[in-house]
Amino acid sequence: MQKRWPVVVGSLMLSLCPLSVRAGDFEGILHMTTKHAGTGTQSTMDWYLKGDKARVESSRADGQTHVMIFDARTRTMQMAMPGQKSYMEINMGGERSEQLKEAFEKQTVERTGKTDKIAGYSCEIWRITDKEENRLKNDICVAKGFGKAATFWIDPKEMRRSSQPSWVKRLVEEGGFGLRSIHYDEEGKESSRMEVTSIDKKSLDNALFAFPADWAKQDMSAMQERMKAMR
């Protein structure tokens, strides 16, 4: 899991571009659909945004809903394990920030200046290119004004002083949310498309951003340390 973490999180961030840091007043739900060209399958995902927190619900093949909760203030990501009445917590700072930085440095971003309108919001098209493979990976249409909940583990003050790539700093400083992300395969063909289908701007219950009190918390970092000690 440790080796895959930068890939998983880097993919999440670069595909959806949830990097807004402005204190925007948006509170509500973004409903998304992802279509997979190769299989012809389709999945759904809902983003709940409020203040410093975000809740992501995605459909699973087994009919269950996968839930993640992000907290920008504590820089943690929690993933539900409903079958066990527990959740796993991952600290997004420290070593993981460096891993994320390495993932970012492998990307080149071009702001095309071209715009589109999705779910009633204007967005600008960004092109994400893989430096090592020299190929286009994503086209992302980035909109602004969705509040700092989408920063998750990125602290805007520290970001200005950090060694993160310049394009990451610009993106965080300006804010935004990817309303559409098109991913391309090695042959340059569209392999998947995520797009916001509708946006509900409304007040959300604080209870949405915490798992039930009787669920046990599993600390991912502690689990990894125990595994290392057993080797």
Side-chain angles (χ1 to χ4, degrees), residues 36 41-44 58-66:
H36 306 274
T41 57
Q42 181 172 302
S43 57
T44 60
S58 56
S59 59
R60 302 193 337 184
D62 59 6
Q64 295 189 38
T65 300
H66 181 64

Side-chain angles (χ1 to χ4, degrees), residues 70-83:
F70 297 88
D71 190 321
R73 184 179 56 82
T74 61
R75 298 193 216 177
T76 56
M77 175 177 70
Q78 298 177 338
M79 296 182 292
M81 296 186 285

